[in-house]
Each structure stands twice: as structure tokens, then as C-alpha cells.
Amino acid sequence: MNETKPRMDKNLLRRFEPIVRFSEGERFFPMDVAAYVRHASLWKQHPGQEPVLVTPKGELMLEMLGRSVDDRSGALYFLKFVDPVSLAELATYRLEHRTRRFRAANGRLVRVGYLSRLVDAVFAISLLARGRITGDTAVAAEYAYERIMAEDQRHVYYGRIFEDSGWTILQYWFFYPFNNWRSGFHGANDHEGDWESISIYLWQDSTGELHPEWVAYASHDYSGDDIRRHWDDPALEKEGEHPVVYAGAGSHASYYIPGEYLAELDLTFLSPLSRVRGTVARIKKKLVAERERNTGNGSREFIIRVPFVDYATGSGVSIGPGQDKAWDDPQLLDPVPQWVKGYRGLWGFYAGDPVSGEDAPAGPAYNRDGSMRQLWHDPVGWAGLHKESSPPDLLKKQERRRIELAEENRSLRSEAASKRQQLQDLHLESQALKGHSHLRAVYRENQGRMEALSRSIQDIRKQMAQNDAVIQAMDMQVENIQGHSRPPVRSHLRRPHLPTSDVEVRLSRLAEIWAAVSIGAIMLASMILFVLAR
């Protein structure tokens, strides 16, 4: 990554700052991380040992993160935000909020195949044995969050501005104190802490003016072409220059269009089975000579997944310019603060979940395993933009490539003329050799050389014609760019993440019951066959 120092300040972030719309029933919103850390404690845990308290709650400050952590020890560091609530507090909470409990829509399992339904059943049973966040933790997190917001009601995002590969990139990072997707909205997981982000890619014209070209919304673990949209795409909702983000209820994943999304999450512990499945599929495709289609999502094509619904309806609170609530002054991540670059630990409780879904995430720069997050160190590649050029760069590259093709054609034309002369000379010799029996071998040799030269000249002519066609197409593209005409804004999309259609949402409760019962029937039948097989 060829990153350079930002040339802009908070005004550029303010110009394009997003509007985030939440679903009704959302409990947690973007907040100041310093307030979160002040109400958290820092722990470390060595493999196979009990966690040890490093800094108690009330004594930990944001600037301390990264300085008090020794990565060489091999210990995992994590924050702990939530203290257990009493039975009385839990009962009071249930009583006070009994009328606003979320009702899941019908048809989650109807929308997927039998394999996904079976894996979903295994996933649900696995919660009994996995390290997970208990049900009352979400209640305790809400109490803790309400106490913080009573003292400081600001909604904060963290902004980053830098240049890479011809793009000026704006990154907006949002921190949520808790993810209650499972306990609040029948999703996959609960965990303390949650980092989400969107990126805007701008290019600079000859006058120095910046123009937005692409946006990319982080959504679970997706990456590649399908997570970005062109600035002129009608599917990208905007108010002025402010893109609108629809946040998943409890999960806080970001979407372009309001609705219900089928989120199929990877099961890492089934990766060996996924690789076998992928290998078989690739062999099958090779045998039938099919080209493997690029999904834009890397290796996710053959991953075993569990289906969940992400509710991103936008029916609740909105934060942003002109909305119910406004953003506070942006917090710049330049220079990169110590708590970002020096702290590789988790931003919440470590539950010891082998699937990692119930463990807190790491910060903006890192993954849970301590490796660098691609969205942080390579946002251009993360959004599949390495192959794309900004409009000014595209014109320069087009002209350079046009010159290369024209030079190649001149060289090919000279080569074709030389071979044509050789062919004509051989033809003259062949005419003279014809009819002389003692020169029959020489004649056949000449004929073979003539055929080879003819094929070579045809190939050269074909290549020249192709080059001319490419040059013509590139000239037309340059004219379109200079005339502010662009290719179709969705030409890069392969499998875009779209909300479930109204027809599927209206599936009956009977269909949902059958989807659930069918899995039980399959599992029972499998057990019976196993017994009878003896």
C-alpha cells in the first residue's frame, strides 16, 4: 500500500459524514470509546489458565491501552465492560420492557436449503457447550450504557483520511458497547464491543477538487466487489452528499437498502469440510469445462454457513446531519493513536468461544488473532478496487496503453511484411520445382514452410485487427469519460447482498414450522437408519 499523509481535516469528513438509520428496538448506538474504557477493566489470559486482572474498572484510561500490554508474553488481553446484574434487576428489566420485545419475522429457515437448516440446528445445540455470553449480560450492558449516556449523550465516529493508489479515502469508524444480535433479534451472537466502518473513495481533478466515486459498507466478514457501490448507483441512498447506512438490528452490520437480509455466517470449525466441498466442486467444474465464476467474496463461495436474518429496516433512531440525533465533533485517527496501533487485544469480554462469534472483536487495525485487518491496511484491496483506476489515472493509463498497442501494431505490420516476402519467394521456388521428380522432397519442404508462414501471417493479421478494435474501444471510452459518461454503475457486481423480497417475507407460519420440523425429522430418520443398519 502506497499510503501518504492526509491533506485534509475534519471539514472533509463532515462534508460526507454518513447518516445511520437503526431499526426499531435497537439499544446501543455509536459512542465515545474513552467513556467505554473508563467503565471497563483490563484482563489478560494465558492459554489454559484463568484470566488475571491487570487494571480494575475506574482506573483504566484510553491512553493506557497499548502501553500496558506485553504481546511477547503470549497472553490474550481483553476488556470487560459488563458486571452481572442481580435477579431483581433482571426481573425489573423484563417487566419494564415486556411491551417492546422484538418479534422475528416468519420464514428464516424457509429461505435456505436443507443443508443450511441442518447446520443451523447443530449451531443452536452447540451454544450449550460453547463459551458464550449469558442472557443477562445484554441487560447488564444496557444498564451500563444508559448510565454512561446519562453523563455523556454524544454520538461519536472516528475518522481517517489518507491517500492510496490514486484515491483519497475517508473511513468512518463506529464503536458500539454491545452487540445483542442473538439475545435481542434472534441472530447469531452476542458480544461486548463492536467496531463497524464505512469507506468513501474520492478522486481529485486538475483543479484540486475532490469527487466521490465509490462507497463500501462493512458487513460481517464480506469483502470484494460486492460490498461497494458507485456514487451514482440509485441503490445508494443519499441526502445531499451524505450516504445513508441501514444498520442491522443488534449486529450493526451496514446495508444500502432497508429490509431483511439473510446473513449466512461462516463456521470456522467446519473449514476442513468446506475445503473438501470446494475441491469437489472445482473438479466437477473442470470436468464439464465451466469457468469458475468470480463471486467477489474470495473463498466464501464454498464455506459451510449458518443462516440468520439481519433486520435493517431503518424504522428507529437516525443519527447524522438533519436527523433525530447529530454526530459530535469527529475524532481523527491521524496520527494513529496508541490505543489503535499498540493494543491488539479484544474490546470486550473473551468468552472462549471456538467459533469466535461470542468473543469481543479487536480494534480497527487488528483481527481477533492479532493480525492486521485488511480494511485498515489495504482498504483499496478490501473493496476490490485494485483493478479499478480513478478517472484521471484511467485517462493516463488509457493513453499509455493506446501508444503501446499502436507500437505493437507497427512492429507486427513490419513482421507480417517480412514473412509475406518470404512466402512469395518460397512460392516462386515452388513453381520452379513443380514437376521435377528428383526435387520432390525439396518441393514438399517448401510447401510445409509456406503453410507455416501463411498461418503465422494470419495470426499476425488477427492480432493487429484485435489491437485496432481495442484502440477504437479505448478511444470511445476516453470520449465517454471526457463527456462525463460512465459504464453501468452495477457492472462490477456479481452477487450483491440484497434484502429478502416481499414475497419471501410473506411466507406463512406453516412453512416456517415445516422448515423447523423437517430438520428434526431428518435427524430422527438418520438415527433410526443408523440403528437399523446393524
Side-chain angles (χ1 to χ4, degrees):
M1 181 179 72
N2 183 23
E3 179 181 334
T4 60
K5 190 173 180 61
R7 300 171 295 101
M8 302 294 174
D9 56 15
K10 295 180 181 180
N11 292 330
L12 185 58
L13 289 170
R14 282 289 197 186
R15 175 183 167 187
F16 294 102
E17 68 182 5
I19 295 170
V20 183
R21 302 195 192 282
F22 296 90
S23 297
E24 185 177 1
E26 179 61 61
R27 302 287 185 266
F28 304 98
F29 302 95
M31 65 173 294
D32 179 20
V33 295
Y36 176 85
V37 171
R38 285 197 302 270
H39 288 77
S41 53
L42 178 64
W43 298 71
K44 70 176 179 179
Q45 183 170 0
H46 289 275
Q49 300 180 17
E50 291 296 317
V52 176
L53 177 64
V54 176
T55 307
K57 181 179 295 189
E59 298 182 16
L60 186 62
M61 305 296 289
L62 184 62
E63 55 269 18
M64 296 169 60
L65 288 182
R67 293 205 302 262
S68 57
V69 173
D70 182 11
D71 289 333
R72 296 171 299 176
S73 67
L76 170 69
Y77 286 82
F78 64 90
L79 300 174
K80 189 170 183 291
F81 175 64
V82 173
D83 291 324
V85 295
S86 66
L87 290 177
E89 289 176 315
L90 183 60
T92 301
Y93 177 90
R94 299 297 186 196
L95 185 63
E96 290 176 348
H97 300 88
R98 66 183 184 278
T99 59
R100 64 174 189 176
R101 295 185 65 183
F102 176 78
R103 301 289 182 183
N106 296 343
R108 173 171 75 92
L109 294 177
V110 175
R111 307 174 199 181
V112 296
Y114 277 97
L115 177 60
S116 292
R117 298 181 199 177
L118 183 60
V119 174
D120 174 74
V122 175
F123 182 85
I125 295 172
S126 73
L127 284 171
L128 301 175
R130 289 161 44 199
R132 69 188 187 100
I133 300 297
T134 57
D136 61 346
T137 306
V139 176
E142 187 169 348
Y143 276 132
Y145 176 63
E146 288 176 352
R147 286 193 294 270
I148 294 175
M149 295 306 291
E151 302 170 1
D152 184 356
Q153 298 186 8
R154 295 177 304 138
H155 295 292
V156 178
Y157 66 77
Y158 292 81
R160 187 174 177 229
I161 313 172
F162 60 104
E163 297 175 352
D164 180 22
S165 304
W167 301 102
T168 296
I169 304 166
L170 311 183
Q171 281 193 336
Y172 299 83
W173 290 88
F174 314 101
F175 178 75
Y176 300 84
F178 198 82
N179 175 318
N180 67 330
W181 189 20
R182 173 170 55 80
S183 61
F185 302 94
H186 306 278
N189 50 44
D190 279 8
H191 55 75
E192 292 184 5
D194 195 13
W195 282 100
E196 300 293 342
S197 177
I198 77 162
S199 300
I200 302 178
Y201 302 81
L202 307 100
W203 58 274
Q204 186 180 36
D205 64 20
S206 58
T207 67
E209 180 66 21
L210 288 168
H211 305 271
E213 185 79 3
W214 299 98
V215 298
Y217 292 178
S219 180
H220 300 296
D221 294 324
Y222 288 94
S223 63
D225 293 346
D226 289 333
I227 54 97
R228 77 173 190 272
R229 295 293 184 275
H230 195 275
W231 188 257
D232 296 331
D233 191 333
L236 175 63
E237 184 180 341
K238 300 185 294 290
E239 291 193 9
E241 292 186 305
H242 304 286
V244 176
V245 181
Y246 289 90
S251 75
H252 310 129
S254 301
Y255 298 98
Y256 296 94
I257 306 171
E260 298 179 10
Y261 289 81
L262 188 65
E264 294 182 288
L265 304 184
D266 298 349
L267 292 186
T268 55
F269 67 90
L270 289 179
S271 57
L273 179 58
S274 302
R275 287 193 292 269
V276 171
R277 181 186 174 197
T279 301
V280 172
R282 284 192 294 272
I283 292 173
K284 179 181 177 182
K285 283 189 175 184
K286 188 174 181 180
L287 290 175
V288 297
E290 291 183 1
R291 288 186 61 185
E292 184 172 354
R293 185 164 62 93
N294 179 20
T295 64
N297 289 326
S299 61
R300 293 180 60 92
E301 186 175 2
F302 300 117
I303 294 292
I304 301 298
R305 305 182 184 119
V306 182
F308 294 97
V309 175
D310 224 350
Y311 300 93
T313 61
S315 56
V317 173
S318 291
I319 302 177
Q323 305 305 303
D324 310 325
K325 300 179 182 296
W327 295 115
D328 193 63
D329 193 42
Q331 303 296 308
L332 285 178
L333 297 179
D334 177 63
V336 181
Q338 184 66 25
W339 59 266
V340 173
K341 64 183 178 182
Y343 179 64
R344 294 176 180 259
L346 306 183
W347 279 78
F349 184 66
Y350 173 62
D353 182 6
V355 183
S356 297
E358 300 280 310
D359 295 333
Y366 301 108
N367 298 308
R368 285 188 177 101
D369 62 3
S371 61
M372 190 72 74
R373 191 195 294 254
Q374 186 186 17
L375 176 54
W376 179 268
H377 76 85
D378 182 22
V380 174
W382 171 78
L385 278 173
H386 276 318
K387 57 184 172 294
E388 300 280 353
S389 299
S390 61
D393 285 347
L394 180 59
L395 291 175
K396 294 177 184 177
K397 292 175 181 177
Q398 292 277 41
E399 181 60 25
R400 175 185 56 77
R401 184 57 182 155
R402 189 186 188 283
I403 293 174
E404 290 176 353
L405 289 173
E407 182 60 34
E408 181 180 338
N409 268 9
R410 281 192 290 271
S411 177
L412 290 173
R413 191 173 295 109
S414 175
E415 182 182 356
S418 174
K419 290 187 174 184
R420 187 170 59 251
Q421 184 62 50
Q422 295 178 45
L423 180 62
Q424 291 173 352
D425 290 345
L426 286 172
H427 178 67
L428 290 175
E429 291 181 13
S430 295
Q431 291 295 321
L433 295 172
K434 188 181 297 184
H436 296 278
S437 59
H438 64 289
L439 296 175
R440 188 174 301 160
V442 179
Y443 177 79
R444 285 198 298 267
E445 181 181 349
N446 275 13
Q447 291 297 306
R449 292 170 61 189
M450 289 174 60
E451 291 177 4
L453 281 170
S454 295
R455 288 194 300 269
S456 179
I457 293 172
Q458 291 173 9
D459 291 341
I460 291 173
R461 290 289 187 180
K462 181 179 180 181
Q463 184 62 53
M464 290 172 61
Q466 290 178 351
N467 288 350
D468 285 335
V470 171
I471 290 172
Q472 183 179 4
M474 294 174 72
D475 287 343
M476 294 176 61
Q477 187 179 28
V478 168
E479 291 177 3
N480 290 335
I481 293 173
Q482 292 174 338
H484 304 290
S485 177
R486 301 287 176 82
V489 294
R490 297 181 183 174
S491 60
H492 66 290
L493 297 175
R494 296 295 179 267
R495 295 176 59 189
H497 214 179
L498 299 174
T500 305
S501 68
D502 292 339
V503 174
E504 291 176 297
V505 171
R506 290 196 297 268
L507 288 170
S508 68
R509 174 61 65 179
L510 179 61
E512 172 74 0
I513 293 173
W514 166 245
V517 170
S518 62
I519 291 301
I522 291 175
M523 297 178 72
L524 180 61
S526 299
M527 293 175 63
I528 293 174
L529 289 173
F530 177 77
V531 173
L532 294 179
R534 298 181 180 179

